[in-house]
Amino acid sequence: MTNNRLEILYSQVFEQVYPQIRNQGRGVLYTVMHIIFYAEQSRSSSICNYLDIKSSATLEDDRKIVEGLISNPNDSFNIKNINPFKDERKMELFWIVVLACTLTGVYSCYKYLEYTKEQKATQKIAGSTKSSQPAVSPQEPVTQPRQSLTAALCLVVSANAIGNLRKNSQINVSDIEKLIDAASYFLCIEEADSNQLHPKTTDEDIPTDSNLEVYVKIYIDEGQEMIGKKVLYILKRNLPSHGQGVVKQLACLKNLSGLEKFNRV
């Protein structure tokens, strides 16, 4: 009975998570862990670090972790009853989700499903309220699309994660993602608001082979969907399609003073 309930629980989690990972090439297990631990990102990061689960991992890397932690997955659950997929990739993603569920625990899976139900209920109420309102007449002002904004992505990373980055240089999406993954503190706000941040930095050269903490500020055009995000994987997911930014600030931190508004990983 208990096993059957776990099958149902894990299948329900998979149904919710699958649309978010179906086309993802790397970091599937890492992403699922962070999705389930939606409110406890630091715990997810700790488990991922301990088990060497990386955001850059290929499906083959994730498969090895699955095989290492679940010695014979087909004996753990009667997969034919709950996962009748003919698609081999979908089956593989299912087992990655099962492993993530196992690592995060039954309670976290349950809380995640409750959270998704609340989100859907809220959206349904909002949709009903909107549909019940009278249609906008031609004389009434029409709501304009959301304004395009430049996002200021502010990160604290170790110096050895900087690579060849230089102030005022362009940075592509893959390098931005790597910096996000390496961040110990992060904040994404509007460009104008970033001038109110005052991290304590120094003028010394950045020793790229050290663990010194470095402050990086990147301006990203059309980055409005990133602004205010407090979860790293959601931040990455909302990077604009053009995938480029400009490094506006790059300096060693003197101390952690001035980071009070930042999200800590």
Side-chain angles (χ1 to χ4, degrees):
M1 179 65 70
T2 301
N3 200 44
N4 184 56
R5 288 181 179 176
L6 283 179
E7 292 176 2
I8 295 172
L9 178 67
Y10 292 176
S11 294
Q12 289 174 337
V13 171
F14 180 72
E15 289 175 6
Q16 296 300 321
V17 171
Y18 179 66
Q20 303 178 59
I21 62 172
R22 62 189 303 173
N23 297 317
Q24 187 165 332
R26 289 178 177 268
V28 174
L29 179 55
Y30 178 92
T31 297
V32 176
M33 293 283 290
H34 282 72
I35 290 174
I36 296 174
F37 271 134
Y38 67 96
E40 300 176 278
Q41 294 299 295
S42 60
R43 180 178 295 185
S44 179
S45 296
S46 296
I47 295 175
C48 287
N49 290 336
Y50 180 74
L51 295 174
D52 201 26
I53 298 170
K54 300 177 180 178
S55 61
S56 58
T58 63
L59 281 179
E60 178 63 27
D61 295 330
D62 286 344
R63 185 187 301 116
K64 290 178 180 177
I65 293 176
V66 171
E67 291 172 351
L69 296 177
I70 302 180
S71 57
N72 191 356
N74 288 321
D75 288 341
S76 300
F77 299 99
N78 186 357
I79 197 170
K80 292 181 180 179
N81 292 337
I82 60 172
N83 188 40
F85 304 135
K86 296 180 180 179
D87 188 322
E88 184 177 344
R89 175 182 167 85
K90 194 169 184 179
M91 179 79 80
E92 187 172 40
L93 292 177
F94 174 81
W95 279 114
I96 290 174
V97 172
V98 168
L99 177 58
C101 289
T102 304
L103 295 174
T104 55
V106 171
Y107 179 72
S108 294
C109 292
Y110 169 77
K111 291 294 291 182
Y112 168 67
L113 290 176
E114 290 298 301
Y115 168 74
T116 60
K117 289 178 183 177
E118 291 175 3
Q119 292 293 98
K120 290 179 180 179
T122 301
Q123 293 172 3
K124 185 175 181 180
I125 292 172
S128 299
T129 302
K130 184 176 179 181
S131 62
S132 64
Q133 293 175 347
V136 178
S137 67
Q139 290 77 24
E140 293 178 321
V142 177
T143 303
Q144 296 298 317
R146 186 173 180 181
Q147 182 182 4
S148 176
L149 298 172
T150 297
L153 177 61
C154 306
L155 307 169
V156 174
V157 300
S158 61
N160 54 29
I162 295 299
N164 297 321
L165 208 60
R166 295 291 180 270
K167 186 177 179 181
N168 295 323
S169 64
Q170 285 195 332
I171 177 171
N172 61 37
V173 65
S174 62
D175 288 333
I176 294 175
E177 289 180 339
K178 289 177 183 177
L179 286 176
I180 291 175
D181 289 336
S184 55
Y185 291 84
F186 69 96
L187 183 68
C188 193
I189 55 180
E190 291 186 33
E191 174 188 355
D193 294 337
S194 69
N195 295 324
Q196 300 175 18
L197 299 177
H198 302 290
K200 304 298 182 183
T201 60
T202 70
D203 294 328
E204 64 182 289
D205 292 336
I206 299 175
T208 55
D209 58 348
S210 80
N211 291 320
L212 285 176
E213 291 179 307
V214 176
Y215 177 67
V216 185
K217 181 165 74 171
I218 303 170
Y219 282 174
I220 303 174
D221 289 338
E222 300 177 14
Q224 58 274 7
E225 298 302 325
M226 300 177 66
I227 294 172
K229 297 298 183 290
K230 297 184 178 182
V231 178
L232 288 177
Y233 86 89
I234 295 179
L235 196 63
K236 290 198 301 182
R237 191 176 66 188
N238 284 282
L239 277 166
S241 57
H242 61 73
Q244 281 197 333
V246 177
V247 180
K248 299 302 292 185
Q249 194 169 350
L250 184 66
C252 288
L253 279 178
K254 186 175 182 179
N255 52 53
L256 298 180
S257 177
L259 301 180
E260 293 79 10
K261 295 181 179 180
F262 282 60
N263 304 292
R264 184 174 181 178
V265 178

